[in-house]
Amino acid sequence: MNYQELLKKQLVRYLDFYEFALNPSNKISIFPEHVHIEPTNSCNLKCIHCSQSGRDMNITTKKRGFMDFGLYCKIIDEIKGKVARISLNVHGEPLLHPQVLDMVRYGKEAGIRVNLLTNATKLTEDITEKLLELKLDRVVFSFDSIDKEILESVRVGNKFLPTFRNILYFIKRNYETGRNTFICASMVLFSKTEEHKDEYNEYFMSLPVDTTFNSSILNLAGSSSVSHEVDMQALHEQYKGNQPICKTPWENITVNWDGTVSPCPLDYNEAHVVGDANTESLFDIWNGEKYQKFRQCHLDNDFKWIDDQGVLCSDCNGRYFPDYDLRNQKKNIPDYIVRQFEVYAKNMYSAGKEDATEKYEKVCSELNRVNGLLKDAQ
């Protein structure tokens, strides 16, 4: 895989996107450099800040299923050479898919960087070894606290010690096999977690982990059990007369497990389907009539057409995040470029793999400690 060429394509795409953002329209010739692919929308957890928590409230009604591997191959074959990276995630736990390792392999063989977002509950030693053998490019561990009580109260159904052990084992083995996988530990910030942010970041960065990510809570248009923590009325008032333009419809394309295509990965019930990857080209869908209508709603700050299918953008706090405002690209793109360099440096230059002996020794010690606690608990 030529990482220099992949990075160059991303940088060119960012520059082209900046020029487009100066005078945006509902049609865009620049295809995303990053495609979200959903192996499954099934999940073994009911995290309180996720749409999965809405299952008990009859909010999340989309049928559960697993992407057909033939469809996945069709998608990869189509975007090969045109897209720099894919993420295997969206609304479910990707490691539940019986062919997720084949998905990673096929994407890598196509010369595409493969990212995996996981809650790590199903990350067995065998799966870890196979992912590292495949040289998975990036893994994000969705693990909101290093405190057992907090973690289990947020990620309902998760058992802290076994999952923590899975993560530590992956970190340890990644170091021992050359640190080819970029590791990110991710937490969502809201009332239960925010005050522990510094402790969380300091802990994971004391291990051979590449970065931590602290994301602000998304209200998911009211679909999670903690959506009430976001004061949408206050946001509407704060930005009255200066409404942002969410960049998502111009930067994102999401292929759901059944092949339907969504313009936003937060559309958990797929109320706003803009195409079908089973029968259509993603490149045709990208500027199809429905995609253009969806974008025009954002340009006009008039979401009636979207709301008629199901409330999404008009009641989403994500569009108020400064990083997501299409008008802020001159400020945001340098930050995106720096983040990409951090990821690519490990593969392109030996300088990207610093001597982390002390961090390695600590992860070994922590893994032994957690194994001891698990043994005592038996």
Side-chain angles (χ1 to χ4, degrees), residues 348-364:
M348 292 164 56
Y349 310 111
S350 59
K353 300 180 181 180
E354 83 283 6
D355 181 8
T357 304
E358 290 186 9
K359 292 183 176 183
Y360 171 67
E361 290 174 350
K362 178 169 181 178
V363 76
C364 290

Side-chain angles (χ1 to χ4, degrees), residues 145-292:
S145 179
I146 56 172
D147 179 279
K148 178 181 184 296
E149 183 178 342
I150 295 172
L151 187 282
E152 293 184 355
S153 69
V154 170
R155 296 195 166 267
V156 178
N158 199 338
K159 297 298 183 184
F160 177 81
L161 282 177
T163 305
F164 196 25
R165 189 235 177 238
N166 293 346
I167 293 172
L168 292 172
Y169 182 82
F170 189 99
I171 295 169
K172 174 179 178 289
R173 290 295 294 137
N174 185 54
Y175 183 93
E176 293 170 344
T177 55
R179 296 192 72 182
N180 293 299
T181 300
F182 188 93
I183 297 177
C184 173
S186 174
M187 71 182 301
V188 178
L189 302 178
F190 61 110
S191 59
K192 279 183 173 286
T193 63
E194 193 155 12
E195 66 182 71
H196 302 279
K197 177 181 68 173
D198 292 341
E199 178 188 11
Y200 180 93
N201 293 336
E202 288 171 9
Y203 177 82
F204 276 108
M205 293 311 296
S206 72
L207 307 178
V209 167
D210 296 286
T211 192
T212 58
F213 182 61
N214 310 138
S215 60
S216 299
I217 186 175
L218 287 161
N219 73 329
L220 303 177
S223 66
S224 84
S225 57
V226 293
S227 295
H228 62 276
E229 292 196 16
V230 177
D231 188 342
M232 285 303 300
Q233 187 59 41
L235 283 172
H236 291 324
E237 288 297 322
Q238 179 182 347
Y239 289 91
K240 191 173 183 179
N242 185 34
Q243 290 291 310
I245 301 174
C246 179
K247 69 176 183 177
T248 299
W250 288 269
E251 278 208 326
N252 177 83
I253 189 165
T254 297
V255 187
N256 303 303
W257 72 265
D258 56 0
T260 55
V261 177
S262 300
C264 178
L266 299 183
D267 185 14
Y268 55 90
N269 275 333
E270 297 172 31
H272 309 92
V273 171
V274 291
D276 187 344
N278 290 286
T279 57
E280 300 173 83
S281 159
L282 291 184
F283 300 99
D284 290 339
I285 294 170
W286 181 238
N287 276 309
E289 181 181 355
K290 288 184 178 180
Y291 231 127
Q292 290 187 51

Side-chain angles (χ1 to χ4, degrees), residues 41-46 52 55 64 91-93 96 119:
N41 64 343
S42 294
C43 190
N44 56 327
L45 303 182
K46 293 184 180 179
Q52 295 287 353
R55 286 183 286 175
R64 309 286 159 173
H91 298 296
E93 169 49 49
L96 293 177
N119 61 36

